[in-house]
Amino acid sequence: MQFDYELNYFDCQSCDGKIHCKECSAKVPELLARFGDVAVLEADTVKKVLRLEMPPEREDEVLDALEEMRFFAD
């Protein structure tokens, strides 16, 4: 099942120059690799989009982990 979230990744928000957007976006799939059954369909820190495909029963666990990794930081 596909899930869409607003991505406010902390590392990106702390970057004043906004010159590392591609590198920052590329970190997202690397950080989510620990979840074997979660596929990153899109991770774009500029558009603030995170699109995942995963079993619905894993959503709470994955969201908790994403919050700990500060993917949804304000």
Side-chain angles (χ1 to χ4, degrees), residues 9 26-40 52-55 58-72:
Y9 186 42
K27 288 181 190 176
V28 177
E30 293 172 15
L31 292 169
L32 289 173
R34 72 181 195 183
F35 299 102
D37 57 353
V38 176
V40 178
L52 304 175
E53 188 170 337
M54 64 184 151
R58 296 286 312 273
E59 184 182 21
D60 288 339
E61 176 188 358
V62 172
L63 284 178
D64 288 345
L66 291 172
E67 286 176 8
E68 286 179 26
M69 291 185 271
R70 302 188 73 170
F71 276 57
F72 305 123

Side-chain angles (χ1 to χ4, degrees), residues 16-44:
D16 292 328
K18 304 296 183 215
I19 58 173
H20 301 290
C21 296
K22 288 183 182 180
E23 292 95 346
C24 196
S25 293
K27 288 181 190 176
V28 177
E30 293 172 15
L31 292 169
L32 289 173
R34 72 181 195 183
F35 299 102
D37 57 353
V38 176
V40 178
L41 304 178
E42 182 177 7
D44 190 319

